[in-house]
Amino acid sequence: MTKVSMTVNGKAVSRETEGRTLLVQFLRDGMGLTGTHVGCDTSQCGACVVHVDGVPVKSCTVFAADVAGGHVTTIEGMANADGTMGRLQQAFQDCHGLQCGFCTPGMVMSAAALLAVNPTPTEAEIRAGLEGNICRCTGYHNIVRAVMQASGQASAAVAAE
Amino acid sequence: MPKDGGIGASTKRREDVRFLTGKGRYTDDINIRGQAYAHFVRSDMAHGILNSIDTAAAEAMPGVIKVFTAADLAGVGGIPTGWQVTDRHGKPMQEPKHPVLAEGKVRHVGDPIAVVVAETLDQARDAAEMLDIDITELPAVVDMRAALAEGAPKVHDDLTSNLCYDWGFVEENKAAVDAAFASAAHVVSLDLVNNRLVANPMEPRVAVGDFEDHSGNSTLYTTSQNPHVIRLLMGAFVLGIPESKLRVVAPDVGGGFGSKIYHYAEEAFVTFAAKQLKRPVKWTSTRSEAFMSDAHGRDHVTKIELALDADHNFTALRTDTYANMGAYLSTFAPCIPTWLHGTLMAGNYKTPLIYVNVKAVFTNTVPVDAYRGAGRPEATFQLERLVDKAARQLGVSPVELRRKNFIKPDQFPYQTPVAVVYDTGNYDATMDKLLELSDHAGFAARRAESAARGKWRGFGVASYIEACGIAPSNLVGQLGARAGLYESATVRVNATGSITIFTGSHSHGQGHETTFAQVVSEMIGIDAGQVEIVHGDTSNTPMGMGTYGSRSLAVGGSAMVKALNKVINKAKKIAGHLLEASDEDIVLKDGKFTVAGTDKSVDWSGVTLAAYVPHNYPLDSLEPGLEETAFYDPSNFTYPAGAYGCEVEVDPETGKVTVLAFTAADDFGNVVNPMIVEGQVHGGLAQGIGQALLENCAYDAEGQLLSASFMDYAMPRADDLPMFKVDHSCVTPCTHNPLGVKGCGEAGAIGSPPALVNAVIDAIHGAGRTDVTHINMPLTPARVWSALN
């Protein structure tokens, strides 16, 4: 066990941690931040995506110790300062971009990372940008619309409605 | 103008806020003080004799509490089957025992052999490495026809063969069907495979068992679509716990698609172990475990034949299907290829004579059960592929051949030759809508444009009908169901006028918390924000059969409406007393009770308060309080139907198929929340396109599962799919439930596979390659290229 320290959603945390503890276990089991989900064991589904120093990371695939000293943002850290949902979260609700909600935290984190580097993506760029996140419920149609809306683009920009 | 509330409004989902802020409470988010962790050790062989299990070394490992094998499960029954099919000779199906942990033999890769329970999950996994399991491998049966061959290895030694049943439907029609084929002007036949799929909801299954020593009560938290069904099956048949001592909770559930209907061994184990160990026990499936322990779907091999007269009227249909059951019978497995498949073989057509034969077969594979659509996608795929092939063989338009044989609007209610009676529909209307929305008129120009780029463009259509809103209990009882298929609801009106609805339906993505509240809001005339929907906990909801088969609103919603009407009737009596008028003269509108033709009125909350503070109240004739329960048992299935169109481009150099456009025109009857309905169709389309293009659960000849992760099983991703055009404006309301609703959850997955394959065949024929008449799903580049070369 070694002490691992990092900043999660703006708060400094420090925990005794086994070397094999994954970041997602550190967040879910250690900190009780259960918004980050585990949907597979091969780094394919993206339900566990969080941001480490602003970069999207599949938290099931990195050791907590490897993130020591880093700044981690999870879905619990995406709301506005007043507690209301952020623009991207709101767009997911407005556009019905989620159903069962299980892939949603990872999907939101990946979409946020996409918009950070490409503020007005095309439909094709959104689809390519979310290729690492699997959703079984929505068929992605309304997720694409949500990301369009969050980027300030009219949904008419989407090819077929 | 769109409404901003009530029935017909695209109300935003209230459940989204918790899901979008990380506050959802899924089963894996539940941790109980003192909980131990279970790790299942599973067979890596498809078939073998389980000689011995030495647990000593594992039990000596750090943190291990106990290692369980079948020998430790004394008094625990097998996993039951909820449906008994009678074969074409009047005999019951063969029904093998399905032990919670393997007894004597292992029968598929993933069959659970032992469970290590330890203080931590890592300790349980580490200790599992120390188990010494001695298995003598036996030859496996994977191919269904081979499994039925003389001398084939038997999956279950105590059964006479690997044949579960040989079902004929309608058996009495067989001779007439054969005669119609003998005299037909045209006969078209097709051999096809409906590929094995894995449902793969994004949340893997989880089960947490808990036991209260002071009360003797057991609680199971589980990822289920129907907690009451699990309580009944597990309590009565597996563990012998009465319902009064057993609580089953299915909290937020991350998708199901059928795979979370069934009662699974892991649920029984954690409940049993928690009681034995006097500690909570938790099991969380990995995705790899899910691939080898969640029930799979589809897996039919079919020969289908259509007889037509000289005018191209369908005169008879005949099918011969092998349906894979896997190694054991999952909860509803026997019913899927029979009563949810054979009864739909009329499709949208007037075919007067139909005979369906289904041989259900045991193999050394994971059990197969319902997956989104369940039997109806299999029926629709073969029928709509065959009709398309017939049109091409006869040189007529696939659309016109369908129209010629459609049941027409004035023929409803329509008695099909396969038992069911369609209450209402308009199949030409949805076909018209499809052709309009998909710009069928402009297809020729688009095809030419593709051809100029060296690509082959195709357009395929499919009609579908499904039977939803399952089901009339007395009917399914005659057909072999061991359960009723009603739904129940309790409406608890609180003193200040807010309403709590307790429903037996379960939401795992469908948005019931929003839509059910919309219905209440519409009926009472109060704000939906005053309505709370409670589901998923057997301790506070009335008996429920759960959510599957697109039944929640049609059956569960109807139970709620029935209970609401009881509430309204009583509330009118109270209002009549308060207003000194006859309750027959009381009108409820916009949350206010008025004496008809007067300005005398009392608010909803005035009546509800009187019900709970009955100072001025007719106590001699009316009980205080305002709470009612209703059970609704449907009198018929509902029959959503529609027409789907797919436009593809095939790259003849590589065989790659690209879906350019997909259009769905559905008749779901009345719609409560259009936004949610469209979302359901989008998701169904993605799963159907996934089946047709990408997904395949593959075994090798030895029964090894080749597709046991998302690395090997191709799930549809965002860049595999187009934007969809969906429409539900063609409405023929259901005639026999109070909301006139039909159900929309499965349609997308039912209608889309044949439309896509028809489009690919159309593209290939359009390029002159009429020798290619069928390609089995999934239409991967390799399969398409091989068909062309």
Side-chain angles (χ1 to χ4, degrees), chain B residues 541-771:
Chain B
T541 55
M543 181 63 184
M545 295 310 293
T547 288
Y548 42 81
S550 307
R551 72 192 298 272
S552 294
L553 195 58
V555 188
S558 295
M560 181 180 73
V561 169
K562 210 172 154 185
L564 278 165
N565 280 327
K566 290 187 190 179
V567 161
I568 290 168
N569 285 341
K570 183 172 177 184
K572 283 182 175 175
K573 290 193 171 102
I574 301 168
H577 176 84
L578 296 174
L579 298 171
E580 298 175 336
S582 163
D583 56 285
E584 288 162 9
D585 294 331
I586 303 292
V587 179
L588 170 61
K589 191 164 185 293
D590 298 332
K592 187 180 278 192
F593 296 90
T594 307
V595 182
T598 76
D599 58 357
K600 287 168 63 179
S601 69
V602 56
D603 283 344
W604 168 253
S605 58
V607 169
T608 62
L609 193 64
Y612 288 94
V613 187
H615 297 163
N616 175 18
Y617 195 89
L619 287 166
D620 52 344
S621 61
L622 210 57
E623 295 171 21
L626 198 48
E627 174 169 330
E628 298 286 351
T629 294
F631 282 66
Y632 174 80
D633 203 286
S635 60
N636 191 359
F637 295 86
T638 63
Y639 299 95
Y644 285 13
C646 180
E647 198 158 318
V648 299
E649 210 168 61
V650 175
D651 183 341
E653 299 294 320
T654 63
K656 181 173 168 52
V657 174
T658 303
V659 179
L660 300 173
F662 204 105
T663 310
D666 293 293
D667 174 1
F668 294 133
N670 296 332
V671 164
V672 170
N673 184 318
M675 175 192 81
I676 287 177
V677 165
E678 288 160 18
Q680 289 290 308
V681 176
H682 295 158
L685 292 177
Q687 290 181 7
I689 292 169
Q691 170 171 27
L693 216 50
L694 299 163
E695 298 177 39
N696 195 40
C697 178
Y699 281 92
D700 73 7
E702 281 76 47
Q704 280 300 325
L705 180 56
L706 302 178
S707 52
S709 80
F710 287 151
M711 309 281 274
D712 319 294
Y713 185 94
M715 294 281 279
R717 292 170 186 266
D719 54 358
D720 292 315
L721 299 167
M723 299 305 287
F724 304 118
K725 284 184 193 171
V726 303
D727 177 271
H728 46 81
S729 66
C730 300
V731 174
T732 60
C734 172
T735 59
H736 55 80
N737 65 42
L739 293 168
V741 296
K742 297 184 177 181
C744 64
E746 297 163 294
I750 294 171
S752 53
L756 194 155
V757 178
N758 289 346
V760 171
I761 298 298
D762 184 61
I764 293 171
H765 282 218
R769 290 294 305 275
T770 54
D771 55 312

Side-chain angles (χ1 to χ4, degrees), chain B residues 320-333:
Chain B
D320 184 9
T321 286
Y322 294 82
N324 207 332
M325 293 287 104
Y328 304 100
L329 291 176
S330 177
T331 308
F332 288 114

